[in-house]
Amino acid sequence: MSFDLNQVIRGRVWKFGDSVDTDAINPYYLYPTMEELKKHTMESYRPEFPKEVKPGDILVAGRNFGCGSSRPGLVLREVGIAAVVVESVSRLFLRNNISRAMPIFMAPGVSGIVKDGETLEVDYAQGLVRNPATGASVALRKFPPLIEKIFQSGGLLEFARQRYLAETAR
Amino acid sequence: MAEKLLSRHNLAGVPVKAGDIVEARIDGAMSHYNFVEPVHQLAVQAGFPEGLPRVWDPDRIFILLDHHQPALSQELADANQLMRRHVERLGIKCFHDAEPGIAHQMMADYGLARPGELVVGNDSHTISYGALNVGSTGISRVDTLYVLLFGELWFQVPNSVKVVLEGHHPNYPIAKDIILYLAGKYGDDFAGSMSVEYTGSLVPQLSIASRMCLSAHGVEVGAKFALFPADERTREFLRGRTDKPYEPLEADPDAEYEKEIVLNVDEMPFMVAKPHQFGNVAPVDEVTGIKIVQAQIGSCANGRFEDIEIAARILKGRKVAKGVRFIISPASQQVYLQCLKAGLVEWLVEAGAQVVTPGCGVCQPKVGFLSDGEVCITATTRNYKGRKGSLNAEIYLAGPLTVAAAAVAGEIVNPREVFREL
């Protein structure tokens, strides 16, 4: 479940616009099982996405990504999205990704440096996302130390487990 | 106010500033149907095969079946059954089981969130209790598990945005028009991750119901908190609902704001959000003439007495247009009862409206699905593509008056032009 925040992620880009909502990402009302969700995620914006997305692809979107409900974007991980890179993200979607240690990066200006289908490289350690073909790059926002710690330990669930075990062992 | 709220709840016991990360003490946690499926499964995943091994304080956890009462399918009935077992096992005292309604309205109805408290819930509209000066906000399911175990959670202290509302309140609700106007003018993330503080000469004139509409919609403009000051209306509302003491949050006169927005409602037209985003807003005059087949009033944004009352007032002596399904869902049993006692339900049903069981269903594809090509105008929370079923249906958001007017006319109209009594 965990991933290394400092490992460079490289993948083919799927681009989306502003204010992509959780009903589009995770239309669970209509498709309650993960198998069904995988066939329909993001189709309200790009009908070809669930059919053509490949493991390792990167999702790039505009501002306010994941607005709407508190539902998580687990399905994006299930279809193989290696990272979500956005101009800005709704706070609940961000909380979900932190608590489940799913790679998400805020990189204002990212929409301007990469086209749909091109390759994007995310280098958290260097604080950059870049387009290797053009050399263009923009800075990504570093997380505060506590959040980095949650990511590195595999999410808040693992955190909770360890804390509970430590408390009850006393 | 947000800095004060999180300073007061900071486990480290020191004051905090916007941008700081705090680990905060939680006063109350709301959970709805998520308490079973996701939270229980997460507990199992975390290595607790029986589910959560404990809860931090059975008196501070509020479980409401909410979306899933009455059960709409066999799966939900089975999930509700599992939920009852876990609530009993964990000794949780506040459990609204056999009562339909929206969790957020019931939290208010039963005085479960008080001014100055930090309350969380695994539903985005938990932010609603800001109407009552409660620092409340939605959290993720994993966060919820963490809170249930430890009564603590991390937060980043938000910047604040001050929204000054001025003007005179008309004799119908305008909260929806206000938030749509703001989202249209300043963007659907103008309060992104921030704390909204409402102030100005209109605020004392706003009912608790209108404040709850504005606070609930805090999430539709990206906010972490959406706070109103605690005033005489707040105290009046809480009288008889809670006997626990509370300490309201007040903004310092020299408080710092990231931005300040002023709106005079006297100059504001009726507003509509067009498909398929909350910020895709226009004055109603730009969309008049669009034919509708469904109209709805309900949800944690607009399922309260004043929302249903204005519809009943408009419909009294009139008929819902032929071929229009006008669905009204009170936010809770308490609201429903209030509407019944006031005779509103009779007027509505006589006019051809349908009044359905309180709950979240009308705001989702659960009650009143739309088919391809159908157009719906609704006083609920969201108009995202597919929100009511078909991806090829169109959903317009508007205030309850504009919705009721459209239900009578069979198309979107400017209510002021149709109803001379306004």
Side-chain angles (χ1 to χ4, degrees), chain A residues 1 17-24 26-31 40 43-45 63-72 74 77 88-92 94-100 141 144-147 149-150 155-165 167-168, chain B residues 19 21-23 33-34 38 42-43 45-48 53-54 67-68 121-124 137-143 145-146 149-150 152-156 187-189 193-194 219-220 222-224 276-277 363-366 369 382 384-391:
Chain A
M1 185 153 175
D18 295 335
S19 297
V20 171
D21 54 271
T22 51
D23 286 7
N26 180 352
Y28 101 106
Y29 299 127
L30 300 171
Y31 310 106
H40 295 280
E43 70 176 354
S44 69
Y45 286 93
R63 60 167 182 84
N64 200 26
F65 185 77
C67 62
S69 91
S70 64
R71 297 197 299 278
L74 281 175
R77 184 177 68 190
S88 70
V89 59
S90 96
R91 59 165 289 272
L92 261 171
L94 179 60
R95 272 204 96 99
N96 264 305
N97 275 56
I98 293 168
S99 66
R100 299 192 191 235
R141 285 175 55 191
L146 175 71
I147 306 308
K149 201 169 132 198
I150 294 173
L156 196 64
L157 197 58
E158 185 55 26
F159 229 63
R161 193 179 77 86
Q162 287 170 9
R163 178 173 169 185
Y164 179 79
L165 292 178
E167 278 182 13
T168 50
Chain B
I21 297 275
V22 294
E23 292 182 77
Y33 65 98
N34 269 182
L42 285 168
Q45 208 179 313
F48 308 114
R54 68 166 189 212
H67 294 51
H68 294 169
N122 55 304
D123 185 285
S124 61
T137 194
I139 58 174
S140 79
R141 294 160 185 177
V142 183
D143 292 332
L145 178 131
Y146 195 87
L149 279 173
F150 306 112
E152 300 168 6
L153 192 63
W154 70 269
F155 289 93
Q156 184 159 35
D188 60 2
D189 59 352
S193 295
M194 290 196 268
V219 69
E220 269 69 57
K224 187 174 294 178
H276 302 280
Q277 290 187 344
C363 195
Q364 303 168 343
K366 275 188 188 140
F369 279 71
R382 292 173 181 151
Y384 302 137
K385 204 183 257 196
R387 184 79 185 172
K388 297 286 300 173
S390 167
L391 294 179

Side-chain angles (χ1 to χ4, degrees), chain A residues 60-153:
Chain A
V60 171
R63 60 167 182 84
N64 200 26
F65 185 77
C67 62
S69 91
S70 64
R71 297 197 299 278
L74 281 175
V75 62
L76 295 178
R77 184 177 68 190
E78 294 299 309
V79 298
I81 288 292
V84 174
V85 186
V86 295
E87 301 279 334
S88 70
V89 59
S90 96
R91 59 165 289 272
L92 261 171
F93 198 83
L94 179 60
R95 272 204 96 99
N96 264 305
N97 275 56
I98 293 168
S99 66
R100 299 192 191 235
M102 296 190 291
I104 188 157
F105 303 96
M106 289 162 281
V110 63
S111 306
I113 65 161
V114 68
K115 296 197 192 84
D116 195 58
E118 286 186 335
T119 298
L120 188 72
E121 213 171 74
V122 183
D123 189 338
Y124 184 81
Q126 297 289 322
L128 286 175
V129 295
R130 68 181 153 254
N131 181 334
T134 65
S137 69
V138 289
L140 57 73
R141 285 175 55 191
K142 288 281 197 169
F143 294 109
L146 175 71
I147 306 308
E148 286 186 345
K149 201 169 132 198
I150 294 173
F151 270 121
Q152 300 291 24
S153 62

Side-chain angles (χ1 to χ4, degrees), chain B residues 3 6-7 17 24 36 45 55 138 143 170 215 231 284 302-303 334 344 348 357 363 365-366 371 377 407 418-419:
Chain B
E3 286 180 354
L6 290 170
S7 294
K17 285 282 185 200
V36 198
Q45 208 179 313
V55 290
D143 292 332
S215 288
D231 61 7
V284 71
N302 290 102
Q334 294 297 314
L344 307 184
L348 290 166
T357 305
C363 195
K366 275 188 188 140
S371 187
I377 186 165
V418 177
F419 306 111

Side-chain angles (χ1 to χ4, degrees), chain B residues 244-271:
Chain B
K244 293 194 181 146
Y246 51 81
E247 193 185 337
L249 297 162
E250 278 175 49
D252 288 330
D254 61 344
E256 284 175 30
Y257 294 93
E258 175 84 7
K259 51 185 160 184
E260 186 170 328
I261 287 170
V262 181
L263 168 62
N264 188 324
V265 299
D266 297 342
E267 294 147 20
M268 179 184 69
F270 292 110
M271 304 302 296

